[in-house]
Amino acid sequence: MIVNCMVYRSGRPAETVDIEDISEIIQDTDAFIWLGLWQPEPAFMYKVQEEFGLHDLAVEDALNAHQRPKIERYGSSAFVVVKTVSGQGDNIEFGETHLFVGRNFLITVRHGASESYAPIRARAVEAPDMLSYGPAYPLYCILDFIVDSYAELTARLNTKIGDIEATLFHSEFDREAIQDVYSLRRNLLGLRNAAQPVEEICTELIRIHEDLIPKPLRAYFRDIQDHASHVVTDVNDMRELLSSAMHVNLALVSVQQNEVVKKLAGWGAILVIPTVVFSMYGMNFDNMPELKTLYGYPATIAVTLGACVLLWLRLKRSRWL
């Protein structure tokens, strides 16, 4: 359950700390603790709550892996929930990261699909000047990493949309392509619902939680906000593009079906002529003039064929055939 638990002090290397010692170290105003957890059990989470003095409602939400993205204030700390994405190709999974942010601690609780935060920790350690601002900088690194994963997924989906577009712009109905469009729209909807709240979270961190986000770091959170806004815009554009491509495909299929119906109707009209003529000859009449005429039958066939040819030429000019 414990991925990592480190204490950071200005001018000193990071040190590993035991859970039992957190309540004492957290009293040091020159140090902050970064605790990373992976799907903790309730009993262990309650122990963490006791060490850090976390609010009951925040801990209850952190144990539940089905929270909407949000930010809430509990006393002197903030509780943040963001969606994470993971996977390759068509296998896209959504997870959650719950963050407890205080003046001298940061707790990350990961649920479900999520990439490792080890590169983020290494990135933070490589910038000691930024790390001196406390847990706000690791918080920025995590949110930036998550939003970057949104952008990477958006780029992958955009490439796939280009391939699907080429498939949809045909007059044949492709059930598999339509299913791919539906799956893509569903993933894009999940991505939009994950990225859109990040804008509000960053706005609230900058404007309301000024005690947790030092002034020099607020520009970095505005940068995250801007990236999240771009992701939302790109996702909305791609959803609209997929919807338009699907409508175009259905329109092309309808046009093709209409062309087939027109051709069938044209040939049906041509076949009506011999059908009517020859059905008359199937009647039991004795007083039909051409029955006693030498060239009656050839003339009838010639007239019938001529009428069919004339109708065929007329339909051909009208582009029905």
Side-chain angles (χ1 to χ4, degrees):
M1 292 180 291
I2 301 178
V3 178
N4 218 327
C5 184
M6 307 289 290
V7 58
Y8 299 87
R9 293 183 175 88
S10 179
R12 296 173 58 180
E15 300 176 2
T16 304
V17 60
D18 294 331
I19 294 295
E20 292 78 8
D21 299 330
I22 289 177
S23 57
E24 298 179 3
I25 298 175
I26 205 172
Q27 303 300 324
D28 186 356
T29 57
D30 294 331
F32 78 89
I33 296 175
W34 184 355
L35 172 62
L37 302 177
W38 167 257
Q39 298 184 172
E41 296 178 357
F44 180 79
M45 195 64 199
Y46 294 138
K47 185 175 182 179
V48 172
Q49 176 187 9
E50 182 180 353
E51 293 292 327
F52 286 95
L54 305 177
H55 196 277
D56 292 338
L57 293 176
V59 173
E60 181 181 349
D61 288 345
L63 289 171
N64 185 2
H66 301 283
Q67 299 292 322
R68 61 177 180 83
K70 62 180 180 178
I71 179 172
E72 295 179 352
R73 183 69 181 247
Y74 294 102
S76 60
S77 64
F79 177 65
V80 180
V81 179
V82 289
K83 293 286 187 179
T84 57
V85 295
S86 180
Q88 298 293 332
D90 297 336
N91 299 321
I92 299 172
E93 298 179 357
F94 291 89
E96 294 179 15
T97 292
H98 302 176
L99 303 107
F100 296 87
V101 189
R103 290 187 180 90
N104 55 353
F105 68 85
L106 173 65
I107 305 172
T108 60
V109 182
R110 291 189 289 146
H111 291 276
S114 175
E115 300 293 337
S116 172
Y117 290 167
I120 303 175
R121 192 179 293 270
R123 171 187 172 186
V125 172
E126 291 175 357
D129 294 340
M130 303 296 289
L131 202 60
S132 63
Y133 290 113
Y137 181 66
L139 174 63
Y140 154 74
C141 293
I142 292 173
L143 294 179
D144 184 58
F145 177 80
I146 292 174
V147 172
D148 284 346
S149 66
Y150 296 162
E152 292 175 2
L153 177 58
T154 303
R156 292 211 323 263
L157 294 180
N158 191 29
T159 302
K160 186 173 182 181
I161 288 173
D163 297 335
I164 291 180
E165 273 188 307
T167 305
L168 289 177
F169 279 91
H170 292 287
S171 57
E172 295 82 11
F173 179 75
D174 192 337
R175 182 182 298 274
E176 185 177 351
I178 297 298
Q179 290 175 342
D180 289 340
V181 169
Y182 175 79
S183 177
L184 269 175
R185 283 178 58 83
R186 182 179 57 187
N187 288 330
L188 288 171
L189 178 61
L191 185 57
R192 187 191 67 181
N193 292 338
Q196 196 166 26
V198 175
E199 299 180 62
E200 302 175 5
I201 290 172
C202 290
T203 299
E204 189 165 339
L205 284 171
I206 294 170
R207 297 182 179 178
I208 300 178
H209 302 278
E210 297 180 353
D211 56 328
L212 299 178
I213 310 299
K215 189 174 181 179
L217 292 181
R218 292 171 194 169
Y220 291 87
F221 285 89
R222 283 193 292 269
D223 183 64
I224 295 175
Q225 186 181 26
D226 181 62
H227 290 173
S229 177
H230 281 297
V231 170
V232 173
T233 300
D234 292 341
V235 166
N236 288 335
D237 290 344
M238 286 190 289
R239 281 175 55 82
E240 184 66 25
L241 188 63
L242 282 173
S243 180
S244 299
M246 185 169 60
H247 290 159
V248 167
N249 176 255
L250 295 177
L252 291 175
V253 171
S254 298
V255 169
Q256 179 66 18
Q257 290 176 344
N258 290 338
E259 291 295 324
V260 172
V261 171
K262 285 169 60 177
K263 290 181 179 180
L264 291 175
W267 284 110
I270 293 173
L271 292 175
V272 164
I273 297 174
T275 300
V276 172
V277 173
F278 296 144
S279 65
M280 293 176 61
Y281 278 86
M283 299 179 183
N284 296 320
F285 288 107
D286 293 331
N287 299 320
M288 298 181 71
E290 65 275 11
L291 293 178
K292 305 300 183 179
T293 304
L294 179 62
Y295 298 105
Y297 283 116
T300 301
I301 293 175
V303 170
T304 302
L305 291 176
C308 291
V309 171
L310 288 175
L311 182 57
W312 179 83
L313 291 174
R314 182 64 181 272
L315 293 175
K316 192 70 173 180
R317 293 193 188 98
S318 302
R319 296 184 179 179
W320 275 60
L321 294 177

